[in-house]
Amino acid sequence: MRFQGSPQPVPYAAHTSNRVPNVAGYGPQYQTFAGTVPMHPLGPSVPLVPNLTAWGVNDATAQMGMQFGRSAVAAGQDYVEKNINTYLPVSLLKHQFNVSNSYVLQKLRLVIFPWRHRPWSRQVRKSDAGQNEGWKPPREDINSPDLYIPSMAIVTYVLLAALHAGLQKRFNPEMLGVTSSKAFGVILSDFLIIKLGCYALAISGQGQVVDIFAYSGYKFEGIVVTLLARLLGVRGFLYWAIFLYTFVANAFFMLRSLRYVVLPDPTTSPSNVSVGNSHIVTHSQRGQRRNFLLFVAASQILWMWVLAV
Amino acid sequence: MALGFGTIIYVSLLLTNAIAILSEERFLAGVIGWSTTQPQPATYDPNGFGEAGGPGVKARIIVLISAVRTLLRMPLIFCNLVLIFYELILG
């Protein structure tokens, strides 16, 4: 009975040593996760120990093993948390992914059809004392950028490009990597150029790295629409018309959205996002920044052309 | 060599190399008007009430170039070595 190789599934009625019914159906065939101890009728003070007598381990040893495992997993979780917090701005990412269904639908419609939207400024979240403490999350503010739509759009773009190649009988699995590398290359180049321009023009860059990634990811939605048109068989003039329309819509969306980033308005920004290096932006500087904004919006067509063709 | 993540790495490394090996007296002083001893007129005033608009685009780019040259020389040597070994050994 002791050494049977892997323990055979014991029928539930044979668990005569445990009169308390095991909540999760513990038995020798189940592994336990030390970090998640489910509640059972005796309360949390009595740890739930699996019945390991089939493996030749009596109760005391099993309890010690459980304790050891539990503390090991807790230590591992602490280590991971400490290191993740230094490499990834987790709270910032959580803010970007805090979206709701209605937000996603409205934002998708906004990127394709931004002409009639009226207020483009981001809203500030006020704490109870009336202090500004950061932007409102995307759930409550349609103008806030998010990372959910761009990441979904990139994945959709890679899959659609693969589908398109498969329909033309020129698919091989390597092109999935090539296409995603091309998408990341475009995003990285876009980000570098915008960051360089922001540095040259002394535009403040606090907490804006993730926002730049979000804004440069919105063009993938237009590219997905263009690819869908191509998959449906649209060719020639109409295809290029759709491509140009999505580019113009995306450029307009970027112009309106980035206007408040590049030409910040000190009265409506939260206090933890600094507003430029000096609060005086001269007229020539405003002209420079506006030209930079136009250049960024116009350069999107280069990226969209690289991706869509 | 199509646009991709590796291409961006190569291009940025080559461009940074180009910035690092520019000759100061022949190129930067004459053409761009570079001056490492240029006095900065009260642009470090933390209140921002100094010269309105700060140092200006050209001055900031010059600061960026000089920072790249001083800071990135050593890491650039290392990155170039890594890339050379990669190209030699792994094709």
Side-chain angles (χ1 to χ4, degrees):
Chain A
M1 179 9 204
R2 276 182 59 141
F3 299 103
Q4 285 180 352
S6 69
Q8 308 298 321
V10 181
Y12 196 71
H15 286 186
T16 54
S17 56
N18 265 346
R19 259 176 249 115
V20 176
N22 288 324
V23 172
Y26 274 127
Q29 69 271 35
Y30 289 108
Q31 281 292 348
T32 68
F33 292 103
T36 66
V37 180
M39 299 293 291
H40 65 100
L42 289 183
S45 57
V46 179
L48 193 63
V49 176
N51 182 15
L52 295 175
T53 47
W55 284 348
V57 178
N58 62 356
D59 263 341
T61 319
Q63 271 204 21
M64 264 178 43
M66 286 285 297
Q67 278 296 107
F68 176 68
R70 204 172 294 143
S71 65
V73 169
Q77 278 180 349
D78 278 341
Y79 175 79
V80 166
E81 226 176 271
K82 187 172 52 138
N83 279 350
I84 286 284
N85 274 339
T86 55
Y87 290 131
L88 285 181
V90 177
S91 63
L92 205 55
L93 285 182
K94 275 193 191 161
H95 171 268
Q96 300 282 351
F97 281 98
N98 184 16
V99 293
S100 61
N101 278 345
S102 65
Y103 170 83
V104 170
L105 286 176
Q106 283 180 7
K107 196 79 173 193
L108 287 180
R109 186 184 53 102
L110 201 61
V111 174
I112 298 291
F113 200 74
W115 322 106
R116 314 253 322 223
H117 186 70
R118 194 79 320 235
W120 283 93
S121 53
R122 288 177 78 176
Q123 295 162 14
V124 179
R125 169 172 34 190
K126 293 202 185 304
S127 73
D128 293 336
Q131 300 291 327
N132 296 345
E133 56 168 35
W135 303 112
K136 272 193 183 165
R139 203 174 270 267
E140 305 163 11
D141 180 15
I142 185 65
N143 291 320
S144 165
D146 69 315
L147 274 182
Y148 173 78
I149 291 181
S151 46
M152 292 294 144
I154 292 173
V155 173
T156 312
Y157 162 72
V158 172
L159 292 177
L160 279 184
L163 181 67
H164 181 60
L167 285 177
Q168 295 179 334
K169 303 221 185 319
R170 56 179 175 86
F171 175 80
N172 63 329
E174 187 185 270
M175 77 157 287
L176 279 175
V178 168
T179 312
S180 67
S181 178
K182 195 159 71 166
F184 282 125
V186 162
I187 289 193
L188 201 59
S189 319
D190 208 8
F191 170 74
L192 285 176
I193 290 184
I194 292 184
K195 246 338 187 172
L196 197 64
C198 280
Y199 171 77
L201 294 177
I203 302 170
S204 90
Q206 288 223 3
Q208 279 186 6
V209 170
V210 186
D211 282 352
I212 293 181
F213 278 118
Y215 282 123
S216 79
Y218 280 126
K219 63 172 155 297
F220 281 92
E221 191 195 327
I223 294 168
V224 161
V225 168
T226 315
L227 265 189
L228 276 176
R230 191 201 282 181
L231 278 175
L232 290 175
V234 178
R235 294 272 182 272
F237 173 72
L238 189 57
Y239 173 71
W240 286 108
I242 292 181
F243 173 76
L244 278 177
Y245 172 74
T246 52
F247 158 66
V248 173
N250 189 52
F252 186 80
F253 172 79
M254 296 268 290
L255 274 175
R256 284 275 175 261
S257 301
L258 291 183
R259 187 181 143 228
Y260 290 110
V261 168
V262 168
L263 300 164
D265 191 2
T267 57
T268 58
S269 308
S271 59
N272 64 346
V273 174
S274 73
V275 182
N277 57 346
S278 69
H279 300 273
I280 310 165
V281 181
T282 64
H283 192 67
S284 66
Q285 268 204 335
R286 293 191 92 92
Q288 276 178 347
R289 292 187 180 189
R290 204 173 296 127
N291 287 338
F292 170 65
L293 193 56
L294 283 175
F295 166 73
V296 165
S299 71
Q300 302 293 312
I301 192 167
L302 175 67
W303 308 125
M304 289 179 75
W305 185 78
V306 163
L307 288 168
V309 172
Chain B
M1 201 180 190
L3 181 69
F5 194 59
T7 310
I8 302 294
I9 303 281
Y10 280 17
V11 166
S12 58
L13 189 64
L14 289 176
L15 281 178
T16 321
N17 279 335
I19 295 180
I21 65 179
L22 283 180
S23 153
E24 280 198 30
E25 70 259 11
R26 257 178 281 192
F27 188 73
L28 295 172
V31 177
I32 299 194
W34 160 291
S35 167
T36 51
T37 62
Q38 182 184 21
Q40 303 282 344
T43 50
Y44 297 121
D45 191 350
N47 287 342
F49 287 134
E51 182 188 42
V57 180
K58 191 166 149 180
R60 284 181 79 91
I61 295 190
I62 290 176
V63 165
L64 180 66
I65 291 180
S66 71
V68 164
R69 290 164 68 88
T70 42
L71 286 177
L72 283 186
R73 277 234 166 97
M74 271 309 295
L76 263 186
I77 295 174
F78 177 68
C79 288
N80 281 325
L81 278 177
V82 165
L83 195 60
I84 288 171
F85 276 122
Y86 170 76
E87 291 282 339
L88 279 180
I89 297 175
L90 299 178

